[in-house]
Amino acid sequence: MKPIYQYFFRGLITFLPLAITVYVFYLTVAWIESIAMWAIRPFIGDFYLPGLGIVLGAGLILGLGFLISQPHVARWLSWIELPFTNLPVVKSIYSSLKSFADYFSPHKDTPQQAVVVLRMPGNELSIVGLVTRQNMQGLPPALAELDQVAVYLPMGYMIGGYTVFVPRSWITPIEMSVEEAMRSSLLAWMASNRDGNGDKPATPDPTEPYRPAP
């Protein structure tokens, strides 16, 4: 029975990520399609082609991005944002989400977006984090006078994280994108079975007959 169990779990481990990814993609596409068709149904009537809602929705988002890139439209957007940036509770939610999205948005010059290894002098512990602030300018005086950087340390499975202010000499940039670092943190930096085994014992071959240990 041991080879059967091994084959079953290997098949299950291979199937689950594919199935969940396809299912989530399907739900996302279906939701976008329904919203887009609801918006354009008054204009096109009963005419419908599969994927038309997604194409039109993507076109609208692309057009919105082009308009926002224009200086005069950006000023209008700031007026539209006034209710969201002044209401007490809405302000906190909207500002946090916008800052988070802006951090991961593409920029021509991205000195803030750096993945680093944080090491405290005299300590062998190493932590991977994201530099979120290269200087303390704009912060309260007690922090603004410090010559430090802000580093965000995400926790495994995205259940939270910590932001620490440390001397610049404590961090070492590494060749890794922010997306790769966040994806690795999401999985708690788990090593895949496809990675090098190193000193890891070899996986038993399920085709070989089972022999109990003496």
Side-chain angles (χ1 to χ4, degrees):
M1 295 296 293
K2 186 176 180 180
I4 296 177
Y5 291 148
Q6 290 181 338
Y7 285 136
F8 176 80
F9 283 109
R10 286 180 182 177
L12 184 64
I13 292 173
T14 302
F15 172 75
L16 279 181
L18 294 174
I20 294 175
T21 302
V22 171
Y23 182 66
V24 172
F25 179 75
Y26 168 77
L27 291 180
T28 303
V29 170
W31 179 73
I32 295 176
E33 181 84 356
S34 62
I35 295 296
M37 291 306 299
W38 173 81
I40 65 176
R41 181 69 70 181
F43 303 98
I44 65 175
D46 294 333
F47 176 77
Y48 174 75
L49 289 175
L52 179 61
I54 296 176
V55 173
L56 294 178
L60 290 175
I61 294 175
L62 182 63
L64 179 61
F66 173 77
L67 290 176
I68 293 176
S69 300
Q70 309 305 314
H72 59 282
V73 178
R75 289 194 295 268
W76 294 348
L77 180 63
S78 63
W79 297 339
I80 298 176
E81 288 181 329
L82 285 177
F84 300 96
T85 56
N86 287 277
L87 294 177
V89 178
V90 177
K91 175 182 178 180
S92 300
I93 300 174
Y94 180 76
S95 299
S96 300
L97 292 176
K98 184 176 180 181
S99 299
F100 184 80
D102 184 68
Y103 180 83
F104 290 98
S105 64
H107 297 285
K108 294 182 179 179
D109 183 20
T110 57
Q112 305 284 354
Q113 298 184 2
V115 182
V116 297
V117 173
L118 190 153
R119 295 188 183 94
M120 184 184 301
N123 195 319
E124 297 182 358
L125 177 68
S126 299
I127 306 176
V128 176
L130 310 175
V131 174
T132 58
R133 180 180 285 270
Q134 293 283 357
N135 55 68
M136 301 293 103
Q137 295 179 2
L139 296 180
L143 291 174
E145 61 188 16
L146 300 176
D147 184 19
Q148 295 183 338
V149 295
V151 182
Y152 174 68
L153 307 175
M155 299 175 63
Y157 304 101
M158 300 302 291
I159 60 175
Y162 300 94
T163 301
V164 295
F165 301 95
V166 299
R168 197 178 303 273
S169 59
W170 287 19
I171 62 174
T172 302
I174 58 177
E175 293 294 332
M176 175 179 284
S177 66
V178 174
E179 291 77 10
E180 291 174 336
M182 294 297 291
R183 183 168 59 249
S184 298
S185 298
L186 174 63
L187 299 177
W189 295 86
M190 285 185 179
S192 172
N193 289 333
R194 298 178 178 86
D195 297 340
N197 289 329
D199 297 332
K200 179 181 176 181
T203 303
D205 188 353
T207 60
E208 295 181 356
Y210 173 70
R211 297 183 180 90

